[in-house]
Amino acid sequence: MFHYHCLNPISGKGLKLFSEDYQKVDQLEESEAVLVRSAKMTEMDIPASITAIARAGAGVNNIPLDECSKKGIVVFNTPGANANGVKELVLAGMLLASRDIVGGIEWVEHNDSQEDIGKLAEKKKKEFAGCEISGKKLGIIGLGAIGAMVANAAVHLGMDVYGYDPYISIDAAWNLSRSIHHATSLEEIYSQCDYITIHVPLMDDTKQMINPEAIDQMKEGVVILNFARDMLVDEKALVAALESGKVKKYVTDFANPVVAGVKGTLVTPHLGASTEESEENCAIMAVKEIRDYMENGNIKNSVNFPECNMGICSAAGRIGIIHENIPNMISQVAKTLGDEGINIADLTNKSRGENAYTLVDVESAVSQEVLEVLGAIPGVIRVRAVK
C-alpha cells in the first residue's frame, strides 16, 4: 500500500486515477508521495518518508530542489498540462492591451445611472479606441509548450510572429506553424516586434532578462507580456519605461507592489492556469507520474533527476538506486548483487548533472539486507525495492 498526501486541493479527476493500492493520508509524515500546487515546501521540514513530489503545474520555485536531490526525492512537474489555459490568457492580454477595453467597461459601470448613457457612450468611445493586433509583429521568447501554442494561435489571428528559442526541442519545432519567423537573436525580437511575450523558465541566466538594456533596443510603444515569472523582468526599469512612454503597456500575471496600480499596467492575480481544464490536466499528469515512479521506478518530467523508462518489470524484482553521478558506481552495484548471488536481468543508468539514477531488474527476490548493502555504497543516496 502506497500513501500520498495533498498539500493543496487537487482535482478529483486526477486523484481518481490512483488505484486501490493508494491511500490518501492527512499527515505529510505518513506519506511516501506528495502532490502540491502552490504550498511553500521551501518552508517545510520534508520527512524522510517522502520518495516523490509532483507539482501540479510547471514552476517548482516553491519546492527546495537541492534539499530534495540530497535526500533522493524525485520532483516532478507537469509541463504543457496548463499550456492552453495560459495561451488563452496571453491572447486576452494582447487584446486588452490593444484597446482600452477595461477603461471602457469601468466608464459604463460608473455611468450606469445616466438615462442618456447610449448617447454619452457614442461621444466617449473614442477615448477607449485602440488598434487591431492583426498585421502586428509578435515576438515570442521561448517556444516550449505555451510559447508554441501562442505562436500558432497568433498566426491564425493574422499576426506576423517571430520566435526565439536556441534550445527548442524537435517535438516543439514540428508543432510550429511554417509561417513563424525563427529569430536568431533576442536583439531581432526586441528591435522588430510590437508585442513581446516571454515564456522561459526562471534561471540564473534568464533572471531580469528584460532589463534597461533590453528595453532600450525595443520599439517605441512596445507592449510586453509576462505570464511566465515576474523575476524575468526588471520591473522597476519597466515602470520607468512606462512612465517615459517607451513601453505602451505591461501585461503581467504576477501582482506585486512594484507594478500593482501603475498606469499602463494590466495585472492579473496569477490566473494563467486557473481554469478547470488546466487543473484537471495537471492533476492527471501528476498522478500518472507518481504512479509510474512508485510502481515501476520510471521517471518522466522530473526537474532534478534524469528521464528513465524501463517499462513494466517482468523479472523477479526491480531496484531503483539514486546516487551521485560518479565513476565506478555501476560496477559496484553489479559486484554487490553478484556477491549476494543475485543475477541481473536488465539494467539502465541515466545521469543529469551531479545526479544519477540506476534501475536494475533482477532474477531473484531482493532482501532488505541486500538493499542496505547497496545503500552503503559510497555515493548512493537512496535505494528502493520497486518490485
Side-chain angles (χ1 to χ4, degrees), residues 344-382:
I344 295 175
D346 196 5
L347 180 149
T348 187
N349 170 262
K350 302 291 183 180
S351 63
R352 178 176 181 174
E354 298 179 350
N355 301 322
Y357 183 57
T358 299
L359 269 182
V360 187
D361 283 358
V362 292
E363 295 182 350
S364 56
V366 177
S367 66
Q368 181 61 35
E369 289 75 15
V370 172
L371 295 177
E372 291 174 0
V373 173
L374 288 170
I377 296 174
V380 169
I381 299 170
R382 192 166 197 153

Side-chain angles (χ1 to χ4, degrees), residues 5-12 14-15 34-39 41 52-63 75-83 86 229 270 272-290 301 303:
H5 177 71
C6 298
L7 286 170
N8 299 104
I10 302 295
S11 170
L15 297 183
V34 177
L35 291 104
V36 60
R37 292 173 60 197
S38 59
M41 298 192 73
I53 298 171
R55 160 79 164 96
V60 290
N61 55 323
N62 59 322
I63 301 172
V75 180
F76 300 92
N77 68 347
T78 57
N82 59 11
V86 179
R229 285 288 178 269
H270 207 186
S274 294
T275 68
E276 182 179 347
E277 294 86 352
S278 287
E279 292 179 6
E280 290 174 355
N281 292 338
C282 287
I284 289 169
M285 185 181 291
V287 169
K288 288 181 177 179
E289 291 165 350
I290 289 287
N301 296 327
V303 296

